[in-house]
Amino acid sequence: MSDNDIQNASASHDAFFALHHGLPRQGPGSDATTRRLLALAGPLPERPRVLDLGCGPGRSALLLAAEAGAEVTAVDTHEPFLDELRAAAAARGLADSVRAVRGDMGAPPFPDGSFDLVWAESSVFVLGFDRALAEWRRLLAPGGTLVLTECVWTTDTPAPEARAFWDEHYPLRTVAELAAVAVGAGYHVLGAFLQPDGDWDEYYVPLAAHADAADTSVPGMAGTVAAARAEIALRRDHGGDYGYAGLVLRPADPRWPTRPEREADHAAVREVTAAAFGSPAEAELVDALRADADAWLPGLSVVAEAPDGSVAAHALITRCRVDGAPAAALAPVSVAPAHQRTGAGQAVVRAALDAARLAGERLVLVLGHPEYYPRFGFVRASEYGIKPGFDVPDEAMMALVLDGSGPVRPGTIAYPAAFGV
């Protein structure tokens, strides 16, 4: 590289940060999206330890400190962003809750197991999604959660202009593809959703104003402004082809490996189910569902293995319908008595829900304990206008929307005949 190339690169770098200085955000997002991601992360310690990687000026860090009572360590390579964050934290009385650290998200200088949440809104592209999953896992305490937002395709047939832009700058995948990568890397997907279009406005509207006010005579600024305007124009013209998505991930419990059931497991599943419920009725239900081609969903009968390789727990998801529209029913869930209250049940339920997500299922319904299933994201089915065809307590009939977007069809649940309802 020549001296001239180095000077041009330096000028472009300086111009980029000058253009972005003072923006409330450095990527698509909103306080509402941060809150939604936080809710999907589930219950947290009283004072959770949060690592915000690529924090920029720290909009998310400030919200997490203020609303979750978190101790936030916010990391970025650009010291002026960190100065903005320090000033904002002091102004809001959060100086003791937010620590701004200049550092590289690719080599966070923190011990293993240091954080309850690792957070990266609009920044994981710097490292790459796959690498982030591999390298940031060590930072999570047991039961910790990784929260990311990432640009994704929202169609299988994007316009050539959109495809050419993103293939050059940062090749995109769909939410479903990212979820599959996460599960393959040993995570459970606690939630995934497309962010609203307004999240782009929160970034691009102020950026466009900065571009209009920029002094393009400054070295590197004309090219930087042109690139920003081209990106904004692409979103205006082809925004239906791509978007930003939030993903909330948790490492799978290594004590309880899970997998789809095999034919050789049938007897063990029958034994575990009968023992868990204290009668053969639920075991017979599993056998009847397995024999019903209209109800059985391949790959959605999942077992958790005990350390000796035996079946410790089982979860089954089969086809049901809501006013004729396909849905999925989680039932039964069984844990061998020797392994109850050890995490085996949670492991197998999360694995079954992951399998349903990857199979393209959108809506999962469960009739179960209202103090247990909300930890997986289930809410009252009545919130969506969904009800069973028989009387049950409203809080016991629950629903989980796996893709987190779009309306849910209301109606009455029709279970497979084997349920007898």
Side-chain angles (χ1 to χ4, degrees), residues 288-354:
L289 289 168
R290 196 183 282 119
D292 183 348
D294 292 330
W296 192 255
L297 296 172
L300 302 192
S301 179
V302 180
V303 300
E305 293 183 341
D308 64 0
S310 63
V311 173
H314 173 252
L316 178 61
I317 294 177
T318 52
R319 174 67 66 227
C320 67
R321 296 187 179 273
V322 176
D323 275 9
L330 172 61
V333 175
S334 311
V335 183
H339 299 301
Q340 291 176 3
R341 301 184 185 279
T342 64
Q346 289 194 55
V348 79
V349 169
R350 291 206 184 278
L353 293 174
D354 286 337

Short mmCIF file of all heavy atoms in Angstrom, two decimals, residues 288-354:
data_model
loop_
_atom_site.label_atom_id
_atom_site.label_comp_id
_atom_site.label_asym_id
_atom_site.label_seq_id
_atom_site.Cartn_x
_atom_site.Cartn_y
_atom_site.Cartn_z
N ALA A 288 -49.94 -43.55 20.18
CA ALA A 288 -51.03 -43.29 19.24
C ALA A 288 -50.70 -42.13 18.30
O ALA A 288 -51.00 -42.17 17.10
CB ALA A 288 -52.33 -43.00 20.00
N LEU A 289 -50.06 -41.10 18.84
CA LEU A 289 -49.66 -39.97 18.00
C LEU A 289 -48.58 -40.38 17.00
O LEU A 289 -48.59 -39.93 15.85
CB LEU A 289 -49.15 -38.82 18.89
CG LEU A 289 -50.23 -38.10 19.70
CD1 LEU A 289 -49.58 -37.20 20.75
CD2 LEU A 289 -51.16 -37.29 18.79
N ARG A 290 -47.68 -41.24 17.43
CA ARG A 290 -46.63 -41.71 16.53
C ARG A 290 -47.23 -42.49 15.34
O ARG A 290 -46.67 -42.49 14.24
CB ARG A 290 -45.65 -42.58 17.31
CG ARG A 290 -44.32 -42.81 16.60
CD ARG A 290 -43.42 -43.72 17.40
NE ARG A 290 -42.78 -43.05 18.53
CZ ARG A 290 -42.94 -43.37 19.80
NH1 ARG A 290 -43.76 -44.37 20.13
NH2 ARG A 290 -42.30 -42.72 20.74
N ALA A 291 -48.37 -43.11 15.57
CA ALA A 291 -49.01 -43.90 14.53
C ALA A 291 -49.95 -43.07 13.64
O ALA A 291 -50.47 -43.59 12.65
CB ALA A 291 -49.81 -45.04 15.17
N ASP A 292 -50.14 -41.81 13.98
CA ASP A 292 -51.07 -40.94 13.25
C ASP A 292 -50.27 -40.06 12.29
O ASP A 292 -49.64 -39.07 12.69
CB ASP A 292 -51.86 -40.08 14.24
CG ASP A 292 -52.89 -39.19 13.56
OD1 ASP A 292 -52.86 -39.06 12.32
OD2 ASP A 292 -53.73 -38.61 14.29
N ALA A 293 -50.31 -40.40 11.01
CA ALA A 293 -49.49 -39.69 10.03
C ALA A 293 -49.89 -38.22 9.90
O ALA A 293 -49.06 -37.38 9.54
CB ALA A 293 -49.60 -40.38 8.67
N ASP A 294 -51.13 -37.89 10.19
CA ASP A 294 -51.59 -36.51 10.10
C ASP A 294 -51.12 -35.68 11.29
O ASP A 294 -51.04 -34.44 11.19
CB ASP A 294 -53.11 -36.44 10.00
CG ASP A 294 -53.62 -37.01 8.68
OD1 ASP A 294 -52.89 -36.93 7.67
OD2 ASP A 294 -54.76 -37.54 8.67
N ALA A 295 -50.83 -36.34 12.39
CA ALA A 295 -50.43 -35.62 13.60
C ALA A 295 -48.92 -35.58 13.78
O ALA A 295 -48.37 -34.59 14.30
CB ALA A 295 -51.07 -36.28 14.83
N TRP A 296 -48.26 -36.63 13.36
CA TRP A 296 -46.82 -36.78 13.66
C TRP A 296 -45.99 -35.81 12.83
O TRP A 296 -46.17 -35.68 11.62
CB TRP A 296 -46.39 -38.21 13.38
CG TRP A 296 -45.02 -38.53 13.93
CD1 TRP A 296 -43.86 -38.67 13.23
CD2 TRP A 296 -44.70 -38.75 15.29
NE1 TRP A 296 -42.82 -38.95 14.08
CE2 TRP A 296 -43.30 -39.02 15.35
CE3 TRP A 296 -45.44 -38.75 16.48
CZ2 TRP A 296 -42.65 -39.28 16.56
CZ3 TRP A 296 -44.79 -39.01 17.68
CH2 TRP A 296 -43.41 -39.28 17.70
N LEU A 297 -45.08 -35.12 13.47
CA LEU A 297 -44.17 -34.19 12.81
C LEU A 297 -42.75 -34.72 12.96
O LEU A 297 -42.20 -34.72 14.07
CB LEU A 297 -44.29 -32.79 13.44
CG LEU A 297 -45.66 -32.12 13.27
CD1 LEU A 297 -45.74 -30.83 14.08
CD2 LEU A 297 -45.94 -31.85 11.79
N PRO A 298 -42.16 -35.23 11.89
CA PRO A 298 -40.83 -35.84 11.98
C PRO A 298 -39.81 -34.89 12.60
O PRO A 298 -39.76 -33.70 12.28
CB PRO A 298 -40.48 -36.14 10.51
CG PRO A 298 -41.81 -36.29 9.84
CD PRO A 298 -42.72 -35.30 10.53
N GLY A 299 -39.03 -35.42 13.50
CA GLY A 299 -37.97 -34.65 14.14
C GLY A 299 -38.40 -33.87 15.36
O GLY A 299 -37.57 -33.25 16.03
N LEU A 300 -39.71 -33.88 15.68
CA LEU A 300 -40.20 -33.09 16.80
C LEU A 300 -40.57 -33.94 18.01
O LEU A 300 -41.27 -33.47 18.92
CB LEU A 300 -41.38 -32.22 16.37
CG LEU A 300 -41.10 -31.25 15.21
CD1 LEU A 300 -42.23 -30.24 15.07
CD2 LEU A 300 -39.77 -30.52 15.39
N SER A 301 -40.10 -35.16 18.03
CA SER A 301 -40.12 -35.98 19.23
C SER A 301 -38.67 -36.05 19.71
O SER A 301 -37.81 -36.61 19.03
CB SER A 301 -40.66 -37.38 18.94
OG SER A 301 -40.65 -38.19 20.10
N VAL A 302 -38.40 -35.42 20.84
CA VAL A 302 -37.03 -35.14 21.25
C VAL A 302 -36.75 -35.75 22.62
O VAL A 302 -37.61 -35.73 23.52
CB VAL A 302 -36.79 -33.61 21.30
CG1 VAL A 302 -35.36 -33.28 21.73
CG2 VAL A 302 -37.08 -32.98 19.93
N VAL A 303 -35.56 -36.29 22.78
CA VAL A 303 -35.16 -36.85 24.07
C VAL A 303 -33.93 -36.13 24.59
O VAL A 303 -33.13 -35.58 23.83
CB VAL A 303 -34.87 -38.36 23.96
CG1 VAL A 303 -36.11 -39.12 23.49
CG2 VAL A 303 -33.68 -38.65 23.06
N ALA A 304 -33.82 -36.13 25.91
CA ALA A 304 -32.60 -35.69 26.59
C ALA A 304 -31.95 -36.92 27.18
O ALA A 304 -32.63 -37.79 27.76
CB ALA A 304 -32.92 -34.67 27.68
N GLU A 305 -30.64 -37.01 27.03
CA GLU A 305 -29.91 -38.18 27.50
C GLU A 305 -29.28 -37.92 28.87
O GLU A 305 -28.72 -36.85 29.13
CB GLU A 305 -28.80 -38.55 26.52
CG GLU A 305 -29.30 -39.05 25.18
CD GLU A 305 -28.16 -39.48 24.28
OE1 GLU A 305 -27.01 -39.06 24.53
OE2 GLU A 305 -28.41 -40.23 23.32
N ALA A 306 -29.36 -38.93 29.72
CA ALA A 306 -28.65 -38.91 31.00
C ALA A 306 -27.17 -39.18 30.75
O ALA A 306 -26.78 -39.61 29.66
CB ALA A 306 -29.24 -39.96 31.92
N PRO A 307 -26.32 -38.96 31.75
CA PRO A 307 -24.89 -39.20 31.56
C PRO A 307 -24.56 -40.62 31.09
O PRO A 307 -23.56 -40.82 30.39
CB PRO A 307 -24.30 -38.92 32.95
CG PRO A 307 -25.23 -37.90 33.54
CD PRO A 307 -26.59 -38.30 33.05
N ASP A 308 -25.41 -41.59 31.42
CA ASP A 308 -25.13 -42.97 30.99
C ASP A 308 -25.71 -43.28 29.61
O ASP A 308 -25.65 -44.42 29.14
CB ASP A 308 -25.66 -43.96 32.03
CG ASP A 308 -27.18 -43.92 32.18
OD1 ASP A 308 -27.84 -43.11 31.48
OD2 ASP A 308 -27.71 -44.68 33.03
N GLY A 309 -26.29 -42.25 28.95
CA GLY A 309 -26.85 -42.45 27.61
C GLY A 309 -28.30 -42.88 27.59
O GLY A 309 -28.89 -42.98 26.51
N SER A 310 -28.89 -43.13 28.75
CA SER A 310 -30.29 -43.51 28.79
C SER A 310 -31.18 -42.28 28.58
O SER A 310 -30.72 -41.14 28.68
CB SER A 310 -30.63 -44.16 30.13
OG SER A 310 -30.43 -43.24 31.20
N VAL A 311 -32.46 -42.51 28.28
CA VAL A 311 -33.40 -41.42 28.08
C VAL A 311 -33.81 -40.87 29.43
O VAL A 311 -34.39 -41.57 30.27
CB VAL A 311 -34.63 -41.89 27.29
CG1 VAL A 311 -35.69 -40.78 27.23
CG2 VAL A 311 -34.23 -42.31 25.88
N ALA A 312 -33.50 -39.58 29.66
CA ALA A 312 -33.84 -38.93 30.91
C ALA A 312 -35.13 -38.14 30.82
O ALA A 312 -35.83 -37.96 31.82
CB ALA A 312 -32.71 -38.00 31.34
N ALA A 313 -35.44 -37.64 29.60
CA ALA A 313 -36.62 -36.81 29.42
C ALA A 313 -37.06 -36.86 27.97
O ALA A 313 -36.26 -37.17 27.08
CB ALA A 313 -36.33 -35.37 29.85
N HIS A 314 -38.32 -36.52 27.75
CA HIS A 314 -38.89 -36.58 26.40
C HIS A 314 -39.89 -35.44 26.24
O HIS A 314 -40.64 -35.12 27.18
CB HIS A 314 -39.60 -37.92 26.19
CG HIS A 314 -40.36 -38.00 24.90
ND1 HIS A 314 -41.74 -37.99 24.85
CD2 HIS A 314 -39.94 -38.10 23.61
CE1 HIS A 314 -42.13 -38.08 23.59
NE2 HIS A 314 -41.07 -38.15 22.82
N ALA A 315 -39.89 -34.81 25.08
CA ALA A 315 -40.90 -33.80 24.74
C ALA A 315 -41.39 -34.07 23.33
O ALA A 315 -40.60 -34.38 22.44
CB ALA A 315 -40.31 -32.39 24.84
N LEU A 316 -42.68 -33.91 23.15
CA LEU A 316 -43.30 -34.22 21.86
C LEU A 316 -44.10 -33.02 21.37
O LEU A 316 -44.88 -32.42 22.12
CB LEU A 316 -44.23 -35.43 22.00
CG LEU A 316 -44.99 -35.85 20.74
CD1 LEU A 316 -44.03 -36.24 19.62
CD2 LEU A 316 -45.95 -37.01 21.05
N ILE A 317 -43.92 -32.69 20.10
CA ILE A 317 -44.72 -31.66 19.43
C ILE A 317 -45.38 -32.30 18.22
O ILE A 317 -44.70 -32.90 17.37
CB ILE A 317 -43.84 -30.47 19.01
CG1 ILE A 317 -43.31 -29.74 20.25
CG2 ILE A 317 -44.63 -29.50 18.13
CD1 ILE A 317 -42.37 -28.58 19.94
N THR A 318 -46.70 -32.16 18.14
CA THR A 318 -47.46 -32.75 17.03
C THR A 318 -48.37 -31.69 16.42
O THR A 318 -48.54 -30.59 16.96
CB THR A 318 -48.30 -33.96 17.51
OG1 THR A 318 -49.09 -33.56 18.64
CG2 THR A 318 -47.40 -35.11 17.91
N ARG A 319 -48.96 -32.06 15.29
CA ARG A 319 -49.81 -31.13 14.56
C ARG A 319 -51.17 -30.97 15.23
O ARG A 319 -51.82 -31.95 15.61
CB ARG A 319 -50.02 -31.64 13.12
CG ARG A 319 -51.01 -30.84 12.28
CD ARG A 319 -50.52 -29.41 11.97
NE ARG A 319 -49.35 -29.43 11.12
CZ ARG A 319 -48.27 -28.71 11.35
NH1 ARG A 319 -48.17 -27.92 12.42
NH2 ARG A 319 -47.23 -28.77 10.53
N CYS A 320 -51.56 -29.72 15.43
CA CYS A 320 -52.94 -29.41 15.77
C CYS A 320 -53.39 -28.29 14.83
O CYS A 320 -52.63 -27.88 13.95
CB CYS A 320 -53.08 -29.01 17.24
SG CYS A 320 -52.26 -27.45 17.68
N ARG A 321 -54.59 -27.78 15.01
CA ARG A 321 -55.06 -26.71 14.13
C ARG A 321 -55.85 -25.70 14.94
O ARG A 321 -56.46 -26.02 15.96
CB ARG A 321 -55.91 -27.28 12.98
CG ARG A 321 -55.09 -28.19 12.08
CD ARG A 321 -55.82 -28.64 10.83
NE ARG A 321 -54.91 -29.49 10.03
CZ ARG A 321 -54.06 -29.02 9.13
NH1 ARG A 321 -54.00 -27.72 8.89
NH2 ARG A 321 -53.26 -29.84 8.47
N VAL A 322 -55.81 -24.47 14.45
CA VAL A 322 -56.60 -23.39 15.05
C VAL A 322 -57.53 -22.88 13.95
O VAL A 322 -57.08 -22.24 12.99
CB VAL A 322 -55.71 -22.26 15.59
CG1 VAL A 322 -56.57 -21.11 16.11
CG2 VAL A 322 -54.79 -22.78 16.69
N ASP A 323 -58.81 -23.21 14.09
CA ASP A 323 -59.78 -22.90 13.04
C ASP A 323 -59.27 -23.30 11.66
O ASP A 323 -59.37 -22.56 10.67
CB ASP A 323 -60.14 -21.40 13.05
CG ASP A 323 -61.25 -21.09 14.05
OD1 ASP A 323 -61.61 -21.98 14.83
OD2 ASP A 323 -61.77 -19.95 14.01
N GLY A 324 -58.68 -24.48 11.58
CA GLY A 324 -58.22 -25.04 10.33
C GLY A 324 -56.80 -24.70 9.95
O GLY A 324 -56.20 -25.34 9.07
N ALA A 325 -56.21 -23.67 10.57
CA ALA A 325 -54.85 -23.27 10.25
C ALA A 325 -53.85 -24.14 11.02
O ALA A 325 -54.06 -24.44 12.20
CB ALA A 325 -54.62 -21.81 10.59
N PRO A 326 -52.76 -24.57 10.39
CA PRO A 326 -51.80 -25.44 11.09
C PRO A 326 -51.18 -24.74 12.29
O PRO A 326 -50.82 -23.56 12.25
CB PRO A 326 -50.74 -25.73 10.03
CG PRO A 326 -51.39 -25.42 8.72
CD PRO A 326 -52.37 -24.33 9.00
N ALA A 327 -51.06 -25.49 13.37
CA ALA A 327 -50.34 -25.07 14.57
C ALA A 327 -49.69 -26.32 15.14
O ALA A 327 -49.76 -27.40 14.55
CB ALA A 327 -51.28 -24.41 15.58
N ALA A 328 -49.01 -26.18 16.26
CA ALA A 328 -48.31 -27.32 16.86
C ALA A 328 -48.63 -27.39 18.34
O ALA A 328 -48.75 -26.36 19.01
CB ALA A 328 -46.81 -27.19 16.64
N ALA A 329 -48.79 -28.61 18.84
CA ALA A 329 -49.12 -28.84 20.24
C ALA A 329 -47.95 -29.49 20.95
O ALA A 329 -47.44 -30.53 20.49
CB ALA A 329 -50.37 -29.72 20.36
N LEU A 330 -47.51 -28.89 22.04
CA LEU A 330 -46.46 -29.46 22.88
C LEU A 330 -47.13 -30.30 23.95
O LEU A 330 -47.76 -29.78 24.86
CB LEU A 330 -45.64 -28.34 23.50
CG LEU A 330 -44.60 -28.75 24.57
CD1 LEU A 330 -43.55 -29.69 24.00
CD2 LEU A 330 -43.94 -27.50 25.17
N ALA A 331 -47.02 -31.64 23.83
CA ALA A 331 -47.61 -32.55 24.81
C ALA A 331 -47.42 -33.99 24.33
O ALA A 331 -47.59 -34.26 23.14
CB ALA A 331 -49.11 -32.27 24.98
N PRO A 332 -47.04 -34.86 25.26
CA PRO A 332 -46.68 -34.57 26.64
C PRO A 332 -45.19 -34.26 26.78
O PRO A 332 -44.40 -34.50 25.86
CB PRO A 332 -47.03 -35.88 27.35
CG PRO A 332 -46.80 -36.94 26.32
CD PRO A 332 -47.18 -36.30 25.00
N VAL A 333 -44.84 -33.75 27.95
CA VAL A 333 -43.44 -33.57 28.36
C VAL A 333 -43.22 -34.43 29.58
O VAL A 333 -43.97 -34.34 30.55
CB VAL A 333 -43.13 -32.09 28.68
CG1 VAL A 333 -41.71 -31.95 29.21
CG2 VAL A 333 -43.34 -31.21 27.45
N SER A 334 -42.20 -35.27 29.50
CA SER A 334 -41.98 -36.26 30.56
C SER A 334 -40.53 -36.27 31.00
O SER A 334 -39.63 -36.21 30.15
CB SER A 334 -42.34 -37.67 30.06
OG SER A 334 -43.61 -37.68 29.45
N VAL A 335 -40.32 -36.35 32.30
CA VAL A 335 -38.97 -36.46 32.86
C VAL A 335 -38.95 -37.65 33.80
O VAL A 335 -39.83 -37.78 34.67
CB VAL A 335 -38.56 -35.19 33.62
CG1 VAL A 335 -37.13 -35.31 34.13
CG2 VAL A 335 -38.70 -33.95 32.72
N ALA A 336 -37.98 -38.53 33.64
CA ALA A 336 -37.85 -39.68 34.53
C ALA A 336 -37.76 -39.19 35.97
O ALA A 336 -37.07 -38.18 36.25
CB ALA A 336 -36.61 -40.49 34.17
N PRO A 337 -38.45 -39.84 36.91
CA PRO A 337 -38.46 -39.36 38.29
C PRO A 337 -37.07 -39.10 38.86
O PRO A 337 -36.86 -38.13 39.60
CB PRO A 337 -39.19 -40.48 39.04
CG PRO A 337 -40.13 -41.04 38.01
CD PRO A 337 -39.38 -40.98 36.71
N ALA A 338 -36.10 -39.91 38.50
CA ALA A 338 -34.74 -39.73 39.04
C ALA A 338 -34.08 -38.46 38.54
O ALA A 338 -33.09 -38.00 39.14
CB ALA A 338 -33.88 -40.94 38.69
N HIS A 339 -34.61 -37.89 37.47
CA HIS A 339 -33.96 -36.71 36.87
C HIS A 339 -34.84 -35.46 36.94
O HIS A 339 -34.50 -34.45 36.32
CB HIS A 339 -33.60 -37.01 35.42
CG HIS A 339 -32.64 -38.14 35.25
ND1 HIS A 339 -31.38 -38.15 35.81
CD2 HIS A 339 -32.77 -39.34 34.61
CE1 HIS A 339 -30.77 -39.27 35.51
NE2 HIS A 339 -31.58 -40.01 34.78
N GLN A 340 -35.92 -35.54 37.68
CA GLN A 340 -36.77 -34.36 37.81
C GLN A 340 -36.10 -33.29 38.66
O GLN A 340 -35.31 -33.59 39.56
CB GLN A 340 -38.13 -34.75 38.39
CG GLN A 340 -38.94 -35.60 37.42
CD GLN A 340 -40.26 -36.10 37.98
OE1 GLN A 340 -40.62 -35.78 39.12
NE2 GLN A 340 -40.98 -36.88 37.18
N ARG A 341 -36.38 -32.02 38.32
CA ARG A 341 -35.82 -30.85 39.02
C ARG A 341 -34.29 -30.77 38.89
O ARG A 341 -33.59 -30.34 39.80
CB ARG A 341 -36.24 -30.83 40.50
CG ARG A 341 -37.75 -30.81 40.69
CD ARG A 341 -38.13 -30.68 42.16
NE ARG A 341 -39.57 -30.77 42.32
CZ ARG A 341 -40.43 -29.75 42.13
NH1 ARG A 341 -39.96 -28.57 41.75
NH2 ARG A 341 -41.72 -29.93 42.30
N THR A 342 -33.80 -31.23 37.75
CA THR A 342 -32.35 -31.17 37.50
C THR A 342 -32.00 -30.35 36.27
O THR A 342 -30.83 -30.21 35.94
CB THR A 342 -31.79 -32.59 37.29
OG1 THR A 342 -32.37 -33.15 36.10
CG2 THR A 342 -32.06 -33.49 38.48
N GLY A 343 -33.01 -29.85 35.57
CA GLY A 343 -32.79 -29.13 34.31
C GLY A 343 -33.03 -29.96 33.08
O GLY A 343 -33.01 -29.44 31.96
N ALA A 344 -33.25 -31.27 33.24
CA ALA A 344 -33.47 -32.14 32.08
C ALA A 344 -34.75 -31.75 31.34
O ALA A 344 -34.80 -31.76 30.10
CB ALA A 344 -33.53 -33.60 32.52
N GLY A 345 -35.80 -31.42 32.09
CA GLY A 345 -37.05 -31.04 31.46
C GLY A 345 -36.92 -29.75 30.65
O GLY A 345 -37.39 -29.66 29.52
N GLN A 346 -36.27 -28.75 31.24
CA GLN A 346 -36.07 -27.50 30.51
C GLN A 346 -35.24 -27.74 29.25
O GLN A 346 -35.53 -27.17 28.18
CB GLN A 346 -35.36 -26.48 31.40
CG GLN A 346 -36.24 -25.94 32.51
CD GLN A 346 -35.62 -24.71 33.15
OE1 GLN A 346 -35.32 -23.74 32.47
NE2 GLN A 346 -35.43 -24.77 34.46
N ALA A 347 -34.22 -28.58 29.36
CA ALA A 347 -33.36 -28.84 28.21
C ALA A 347 -34.14 -29.47 27.07
O ALA A 347 -33.99 -29.09 25.90
CB ALA A 347 -32.19 -29.75 28.62
N VAL A 348 -34.99 -30.44 27.38
CA VAL A 348 -35.70 -31.14 26.31
C VAL A 348 -36.80 -30.27 25.71
O VAL A 348 -37.06 -30.33 24.50
CB VAL A 348 -36.22 -32.51 26.80
CG1 VAL A 348 -37.51 -32.37 27.62
CG2 VAL A 348 -36.41 -33.48 25.64
N VAL A 349 -37.44 -29.44 26.52
CA VAL A 349 -38.46 -28.54 25.99
C VAL A 349 -37.82 -27.51 25.06
O VAL A 349 -38.31 -27.25 23.96
CB VAL A 349 -39.24 -27.84 27.12
CG1 VAL A 349 -40.11 -26.72 26.56
CG2 VAL A 349 -40.10 -28.85 27.86
N ARG A 350 -36.70 -26.92 25.50
CA ARG A 350 -36.04 -25.93 24.64
C ARG A 350 -35.57 -26.58 23.33
O ARG A 350 -35.67 -25.97 22.27
CB ARG A 350 -34.87 -25.29 25.38
CG ARG A 350 -35.30 -24.39 26.52
CD ARG A 350 -34.29 -23.31 26.83
NE ARG A 350 -34.68 -22.52 27.99
CZ ARG A 350 -35.54 -21.52 27.98
NH1 ARG A 350 -36.14 -21.20 26.83
NH2 ARG A 350 -35.84 -20.84 29.06
N ALA A 351 -35.08 -27.79 23.42
CA ALA A 351 -34.62 -28.47 22.20
C ALA A 351 -35.80 -28.76 21.26
O ALA A 351 -35.68 -28.63 20.04
CB ALA A 351 -33.90 -29.76 22.56
N ALA A 352 -36.94 -29.15 21.82
CA ALA A 352 -38.11 -29.41 20.99
C ALA A 352 -38.60 -28.12 20.33
O ALA A 352 -38.98 -28.12 19.15
CB ALA A 352 -39.22 -30.03 21.83
N LEU A 353 -38.58 -27.01 21.07
CA LEU A 353 -38.99 -25.74 20.49
C LEU A 353 -38.01 -25.28 19.41
O LEU A 353 -38.43 -24.72 18.38
CB LEU A 353 -39.12 -24.69 21.59
CG LEU A 353 -40.24 -24.93 22.60
CD1 LEU A 353 -40.17 -23.90 23.72
CD2 LEU A 353 -41.61 -24.90 21.94
N ASP A 354 -36.72 -25.51 19.64
CA ASP A 354 -35.74 -25.21 18.59
C ASP A 354 -36.04 -26.02 17.33
O ASP A 354 -36.00 -25.50 16.20
CB ASP A 354 -34.33 -25.53 19.06
CG ASP A 354 -33.78 -24.53 20.06
OD1 ASP A 354 -34.25 -23.38 20.08
OD2 ASP A 354 -32.86 -24.91 20.82
#
